Amino acid sequence: MNGKLKILVVDDEPDALELFKDLFTKKGYTVECVPSGTDAISFIEGNEADAILLDIRMPVMDGIETLSKLKELKPDIPVVMLTAYGYDDNLINKALESGAAGYISKNLPLAQIVHTFQTLLSAIHRKK
Amino acid sequence: MKRCTKCSIDYSELWNICLLCKLPLAKDNLITKVFSKPRSGANYIFPILEKTIDQSDVIFLYLDKDLKPMMCNRAIESITGYRREEIFKNNWLNLFFRSNPSRREIFKAVLNSCLNSIKSRAYEGSIIKKDGTECILSWRNTTVTDASGNIWGILCIAEDMTEYKDSVDNVTTCSERLRDIFANVKEYAVLTANLDHKITYYGIGAKELFKWQEDMTLKDISMLFVDSPEENLKEAIKKSVRSNNRFEQEAILKRANGGVFPAILTVNVLFDNDNRRSGYVYIIRDNSEEKRMAKQMVQNEKLAAMGQLSAGVAHEINNPLLVILGRLDMLAMEDEKLSPETERTLETIKNQAQRMRVIIDRLLLYSRKKAPQMEVLNINEVLKTIAPLVAYHPEFKKITWKEDLQEDTAEIKGEFNQLQEVFLNLALNACHAMPEGGALSISSSNTKDGYVEISVTDTGMGISKENINKLFVPFFTTKDNGTGLGLAICHTIIQSHHGTIGVESNLGKGTVFRVKLPINKKE
């Protein structure tokens, strides 16, 4: 089932982006990567995705703003926020209010990141 | 002898202008040349002199050798209320001193002394007016003699001083009141000193500030000073008051018990009624509390700035670190078998990177802007959880744990977890300070100024003076593997609870951390 899913990863840090690409590819996903909120919006206008992993803190257009625009364009695509800060409650709350499906701390070990992501997605699919 | 050049009236040396012609009088040497027939001026001069005297508001009373009035002016009527005839007919001394014979005798003695010694004598005292009220007269009594020194009588001139006396009385009451105020000021030490800077007077403020038990009057003011070799404060004060009439400076002063404290010292010159320097007034205010607050503020600002910096650094390091740790995880997921040496290397890299992660987590915790989730709680509930948590640590085995939690400790507002972290941190630090064992006591009580005070006391090695000021600064540590963030975090948490944290330490004897948290005000 994983092989069929296409995910979009949005992060301004190129090495982090590449890491997630390798990780999720290894776990059987089709992975598309973009380095900014603006790029994420252009991508989603012309392409489909089954899920989006979105960094919460980015320069120019931040995660929350990108999230709102993505939700306007494709409200059905689940967006999971990536947070680097365990204590950024305010940003996380804002993201959840703006329609994020959930959030994952980048500080977790990779195995846990993948596991949390999969758990979140299957919960969403079960609801559907 | 002088003479008027127009009417030829003779005048004595006292006169300058002719009373009739209003012309300047000619001098002696001119008289013989110009005039042949001098005229007596008495007939003309007396009426004018009489009028002048009669209209004066000062009493003119001319007495013969038996102290009987020969002449008196109208002022005696207006001042005493007696008519002139009454004074002439009766014994005027009995009238004026009618209820006070002893005072009358004194006054008589003054007048007689005048006659005997042919000298003026002053007297000041009250007489009884006709209406029964008193009035104060200031007398100037002068013997009048002829050219050969034979006594004619006494000229008594008296001025009514009643109103002036009243105002002097007011001034006296006023200055007494000022002295009362001065004596009771507690916030300042107010002292006066004479021109030699010896204490002449001081109020309760000075007594309390300097903890004086004995009388300090006439002690040299310099006993209050702690002079550094390069500055002699007394000399500096003398120099400044000489040129500027005033001195103001921050100075270190000494109490009777030897304790010293910083103070603002102001010295002003006291001037007497004739505008001559009569002494100095010293006003001293203890400013140790202000200094402490200022120091605390600087410290807080410094810590806040470090908090911001730490947060920035932590965020910046976090991203590369997550890539490093992530890549290491990816390597572990590879199926390819790595050589044991490479695996060991990778393990070391991972351990070190994870250590960085711990530091960053602590930094983020230290710099977090998240406000505590305040709930009303009793700090004793938090403190009771500390012992079981510390008990897991090996250091705890050699420690005697004491808890003195007052049952009536008031409720505060705070976040349980954050406060628990503070006291756990303090307790662990205390354990680390006693590697050979000792006593650790935690106590709580209410303070008079609306706080709950919690103290964590150990009997450990203590903290040196140079280290004690850096305790709450992030990354300051004396432990081999400490991050130096524990106390910095405690400080941040207590501050976000509107409380204070302070420390006192005796090298080799132990340390006490005191946390004060405001008592919850019931609405």
Side-chain angles (χ1 to χ4, degrees):
Chain A
M1 161 192 145
N2 282 352
K4 296 171 209 158
L5 293 180
K6 181 159 118 185
I7 57 172
L8 172 69
V9 185
V10 191
D11 198 319
D12 60 305
E13 193 79 35
D15 286 343
L17 208 52
E18 207 176 313
L19 174 72
F20 288 122
K21 184 174 177 146
D22 290 355
L23 175 67
F24 284 97
T25 309
K26 199 174 176 64
K27 293 291 171 186
Y29 293 87
T30 307
V31 184
E32 295 288 345
C33 290
V34 288
S36 71
T38 337
D39 291 327
I41 287 155
S42 333
F43 179 88
I44 228 67
E45 273 171 343
N47 300 279
E48 282 303 321
D50 296 299
I52 302 170
L53 270 171
L54 175 62
D55 190 10
I56 209 163
R57 281 196 193 230
M58 288 187 295
V60 193
M61 191 191 280
D62 68 21
I64 306 293
E65 200 186 339
T66 313
L67 171 70
S68 309
K69 295 213 164 133
L70 290 173
K71 280 286 157 188
E72 274 171 34
L73 284 168
K74 304 271 171 79
D76 290 338
I77 305 178
V79 181
V80 176
M81 307 306 290
L82 287 170
T83 69
Y85 322 108
Y87 314 100
D88 237 336
D89 291 6
N90 285 344
L91 276 182
I92 291 168
N93 285 337
K94 263 191 205 165
L96 294 175
E97 279 164 22
S98 312
Y103 65 93
I104 304 172
S105 167
K106 289 198 249 182
N107 294 352
L108 294 171
L110 290 193
Q112 278 187 44
I113 292 182
V114 176
H115 183 257
T116 313
F117 180 70
Q118 284 169 342
T119 316
L120 265 171
L121 276 198
S122 35
I124 293 162
H125 283 295
R126 265 205 301 281
K127 265 190 203 165
K128 283 178 182 170
Chain B
M1 184 70 77
K2 287 180 176 180
R3 188 174 292 167
C4 174
T5 50
K6 193 173 173 200
C7 64
S8 306
I9 295 176
D10 283 346
Y11 286 89
S12 72
E13 288 297 323
L14 271 58
W15 301 84
N16 182 34
I17 286 168
C18 174
L19 286 166
L20 289 178
C21 314
K22 318 286 181 211
L23 288 172
L25 300 173
K27 281 257 166 82
D28 216 3
N29 54 350
L30 291 171
I31 294 173
T32 41
K33 286 184 191 165
V34 184
F35 307 106
S36 48
K37 273 193 266 169
R39 292 161 58 187
S40 162
N43 293 342
Y44 304 98
I45 297 164
F46 272 141
I48 293 167
L49 271 178
E50 258 182 1
K51 261 209 159 60
T52 309
I53 289 171
D54 204 31
Q55 283 176 17
S56 166
D57 60 356
V58 175
I59 294 175
F60 278 81
L61 176 66
Y62 186 57
L63 307 172
D64 67 11
K65 282 191 273 185
D66 302 322
L67 309 181
K68 271 192 191 151
M70 290 159 68
M71 176 277 280
C72 72
N73 67 347
R74 234 188 301 175
I76 210 160
E77 293 189 335
S78 59
I79 291 172
T80 67
Y82 289 107
R83 306 222 5 223
R84 243 189 287 234
E85 281 66 37
E86 291 175 276
I87 291 164
F88 290 151
K89 276 182 195 162
N90 299 290
N91 183 330
W92 68 281
L93 286 164
N94 287 349
L95 288 180
F96 283 10
F97 297 97
R98 69 176 184 270
S99 64
N100 201 331
S102 63
R103 201 174 285 173
R104 180 191 62 203
E105 291 314 307
I106 293 170
F107 186 60
K108 266 172 90 173
V110 170
L111 295 177
N112 284 323
S113 140
C114 241
L115 290 172
N116 295 336
S117 62
I118 322 183
K119 270 184 183 163
S120 330
R121 287 274 185 266
Y123 174 84
E124 192 175 289
S126 57
I127 60 144
I128 309 295
K129 299 207 282 191
K130 195 177 180 186
D131 63 8
T133 60
E134 277 191 34
C135 96
I136 296 155
L137 295 179
S138 173
W139 298 86
R140 189 91 202 155
N141 310 308
T142 314
T143 325
V144 183
T145 57
D146 63 12
S148 39
N150 299 315
I151 294 170
W152 282 355
I154 305 174
L155 177 63
C156 305
I157 300 171
E159 196 179 350
D160 186 357
M161 303 296 283
T162 316
E163 274 181 28
Y164 171 75
K165 275 283 173 192
D166 280 351
S167 68
V168 168
D169 282 350
N170 275 337
V171 170
T172 316
T173 339
C174 189
S175 68
E176 267 166 17
R177 203 171 303 151
L178 269 176
R179 213 176 153 92
D180 277 352
I181 293 168
F182 178 78
N184 287 303
V185 173
K186 279 192 178 164
E187 288 74 16
Y188 295 84
V190 187
L191 311 101
T192 57
N194 62 18
L195 288 170
D196 296 328
H197 294 269
K198 294 214 166 32
I199 297 170
T200 48
Y201 185 76
Y202 56 91
I204 192 162
K207 219 170 147 177
E208 287 187 359
L209 182 63
F210 292 105
K211 311 233 181 288
W212 289 336
Q213 307 281 343
E214 50 183 303
D215 183 16
M216 302 312 271
T217 313
L218 290 180
K219 294 262 166 63
D220 198 290
I221 197 91
S222 60
M223 62 154 188
L224 305 177
F225 307 153
V226 180
D227 278 324
S228 55
E230 63 270 25
E231 190 196 26
N232 187 330
L233 194 56
K234 193 178 172 183
E235 286 310 312
I237 291 170
K238 277 184 173 172
K239 202 174 149 192
S240 173
V241 290
R242 211 161 30 230
S243 47
N244 306 320
N245 290 337
R246 132 177 253 288
F247 173 88
E248 185 170 352
Q249 195 179 298
E250 219 181 88
I252 303 291
L253 301 181
K254 205 160 40 178
R255 298 187 215 275
N257 59 14
V260 295
F261 63 97
I264 304 285
L265 169 65
T266 314
V267 186
N268 280 293
V269 179
L270 282 175
F271 291 97
D272 65 11
N273 290 339
D274 298 325
N275 213 26
R276 278 182 311 224
R277 282 162 185 259
S278 64
Y280 303 97
V281 56
Y282 279 73
I283 298 172
I284 295 156
R285 189 167 54 84
D286 181 352
N287 76 336
S288 45
E289 186 61 10
E290 275 164 51
K291 290 212 118 181
R292 200 189 58 75
M293 297 275 279
K295 209 169 143 189
Q296 180 86 45
M297 253 170 75
V298 170
Q299 178 79 343
N300 286 350
E301 276 169 23
K302 207 161 84 184
L303 291 178
M306 292 198 81
Q308 281 178 347
L309 182 73
S310 316
V313 170
H315 292 161
E316 286 308 311
I317 292 175
N318 209 26
N319 273 328
L321 196 60
L322 100 95
V323 175
I324 294 169
L325 281 163
R327 283 295 166 193
L328 286 165
D329 275 0
M330 290 291 287
L331 274 175
M333 286 176 200
E334 294 293 334
D335 300 329
E336 206 179 311
K337 187 96 178 101
L338 299 166
S339 73
E341 202 171 308
T342 315
E343 253 181 43
R344 237 192 352 265
T345 310
L346 288 177
E347 194 57 32
T348 310
I349 296 174
K350 194 173 175 174
N351 284 343
Q352 294 303 315
Q354 263 163 355
R355 212 176 126 192
M356 283 169 76
R357 162 64 41 79
V358 172
I359 295 172
I360 282 166
D361 280 354
R362 302 286 286 165
L363 262 185
L364 284 169
L365 194 66
Y366 162 62
S367 64
R368 75 180 135 199
K369 294 191 184 87
K370 195 183 139 196
Q373 303 289 307
M374 297 285 207
E375 51 171 339
V376 176
L377 54 88
N378 192 311
I379 199 68
N380 289 348
E381 300 307 316
V382 176
L383 299 175
K384 280 174 194 162
T385 66
I386 305 299
L389 289 169
V390 181
Y392 285 114
H393 294 259
E395 297 92 337
F396 191 66
K397 289 193 177 68
K398 294 178 191 164
I399 305 289
T400 315
W401 182 272
K402 287 181 199 164
E403 253 172 37
D404 178 20
L405 311 178
Q406 296 297 310
E407 272 178 28
D408 66 343
T409 304
E411 286 179 325
I412 55 142
K413 260 186 172 175
E415 186 180 323
F416 194 98
N417 289 337
Q418 288 194 7
L419 292 173
Q420 190 185 45
E421 191 182 341
V422 170
F423 294 107
L424 179 61
N425 221 314
L426 293 179
L428 284 175
N429 278 348
C431 289
H432 291 149
M434 302 183 282
E436 305 305 322
L440 197 171
S441 50
I442 290 193
S443 68
S444 65
S445 59
N446 300 328
T447 68
K448 280 178 191 160
D449 54 349
Y451 288 84
V452 168
E453 187 180 272
I454 306 100
S455 52
V456 179
T457 314
D458 67 55
T459 55
M461 56 187 96
I463 304 160
S464 71
K465 254 189 183 166
E466 60 262 38
N467 283 346
I468 210 154
N469 290 331
K470 301 182 219 152
L471 277 189
F472 299 106
V473 175
F475 300 116
F476 174 77
T477 183
T478 55
K479 296 179 198 164
D480 290 341
N481 49 4
T483 55
L485 287 169
L487 285 174
I489 291 170
C490 290
H491 185 270
T492 314
I493 293 177
I494 294 303
Q495 218 179 17
S496 65
H497 281 75
H498 313 293
T500 59
I501 179 166
V503 59
E504 286 162 39
S505 189
N506 267 328
L507 215 54
K509 286 190 179 156
T511 306
V512 51
F513 280 88
R514 279 182 226 282
V515 173
K516 281 171 90 176
L517 294 165
I519 289 174
N520 178 43
K521 284 184 195 121
K522 286 182 188 122
E523 271 126 49

